[in-house]
Amino acid sequence: MKFPENRPRLVLVVPSPSSEGHTSDTLLATLDKALAAGDIASVIFDNGKTDEASFQTFAAAAVSKVQAAGAAAIILNDTRTAGRVGADGVHIEGPLADIADAIERYTPKLIVGTGNVKERHAALEVGELQPDYMFFGKIGADSKAEAHPRNLSLAEWWAAMVEIPAIVQAGSKIDDLAACFATRAEFIALGAAVFSADNPAQVVTDANRQLDELSAADTEE
């Protein structure tokens, strides 16, 4: 499926199976519904405080679902599990040295992305390492309804001047997708908005519809 250049795609952020209100089974069921409901570019899996063996079992089942849907499966901060379950990439949140090490060891075999930067200088330092993408936000930190203003501001600045693709973290509702769209980030991440929703499939459908409409209106201007 080909989209207009000004049309961002969705990235799902799956909570840890050990996080409050979730289990491996409920997350897998929600993931099935979300993947079937509309376009998803990639899925990032948060391991949280889940023990390694349990997370690996969950990830093995989840990654196969994501890849069967034509999306990329990315594991947070766990290169060993990523390799064992055949994930497409790793997302590294941590010191600059850890990000550099992952990029050196796994690029181009795996997608290596990063994020959780809070100011421009730190973002540029990470950018010099040439990750595959920059995530503006922190995995699992989308507890408020609207996207964090700092993430929006950084994503807009980055997208205007850096070629490395940007992912901007939306809030726990999809009412602010226009603000995310306005940053010109290539991707918009939805976590709680989908995985805490009563109807996750409807959220994905509505989010994609909104992005189509925003893209079309932007093209007409």
Side-chain angles (χ1 to χ4, degrees):
M1 185 180 299
K2 187 174 182 179
F3 293 96
E5 289 186 5
N6 68 338
R7 202 281 203 190
R9 297 181 67 193
L10 295 179
V11 172
L12 295 185
V13 179
V14 181
S16 164
S18 61
S19 57
E20 185 177 356
H22 300 293
T23 67
S24 294
D25 288 343
T26 60
L27 289 176
L28 290 172
T30 300
L31 183 61
D32 277 335
K33 294 172 184 176
L35 290 170
D39 178 68
I40 302 293
S42 59
V43 181
I44 301 173
F45 292 95
D46 184 356
N47 46 7
K49 297 180 179 179
T50 309
D51 68 87
E52 185 175 356
S54 297
F55 181 71
Q56 184 174 316
T57 299
F58 164 72
V63 164
S64 64
K65 292 176 182 292
V66 171
Q67 292 172 339
I74 298 171
I75 306 293
L76 174 67
N77 286 341
D78 190 343
T79 57
R80 183 160 53 182
T81 294
R84 288 173 177 172
V85 302
D88 301 287
V90 290
H91 180 93
I92 306 297
E93 284 189 353
L96 200 62
D98 291 352
I99 300 167
D101 180 66
I103 291 171
E104 182 179 357
R105 291 174 62 188
Y106 299 109
T107 301
K109 182 180 178 181
L110 296 177
I111 298 166
V112 181
T114 185
N116 193 27
V117 293
K118 296 180 173 60
E119 45 89 20
R120 292 183 179 186
H121 177 70
L124 290 174
E125 282 189 320
V126 175
E128 289 178 357
L129 301 174
Q130 293 295 301
D132 289 301
Y133 64 80
M134 181 71 82
F135 186 104
F136 290 99
K138 176 176 169 54
I139 299 297
D142 54 341
S143 58
K144 294 186 177 180
E146 297 181 346
H148 195 294
R150 180 183 62 216
N151 296 335
L152 294 173
S153 177
L154 284 171
E156 182 175 17
W157 160 77
W158 181 272
M161 63 171 290
V162 182
E163 291 186 359
I164 297 169
I167 303 174
V168 62
Q169 186 176 45
S172 60
K173 303 293 182 183
I174 60 170
D175 301 334
D176 68 336
L177 286 190
C180 294
F181 178 90
T183 67
R184 303 296 176 179
E186 288 85 352
F187 302 93
I188 297 174
L190 299 179
V194 172
F195 289 90
S196 296
D198 293 332
N199 190 339
Q202 192 63 53
V203 173
V204 172
T205 298
D206 288 348
N208 273 302
R209 176 185 51 77
Q210 286 188 48
L211 295 178
D212 286 339
E213 292 173 353
L214 288 164
S215 173
D218 181 69
T219 301
E220 292 174 358
E221 291 180 357

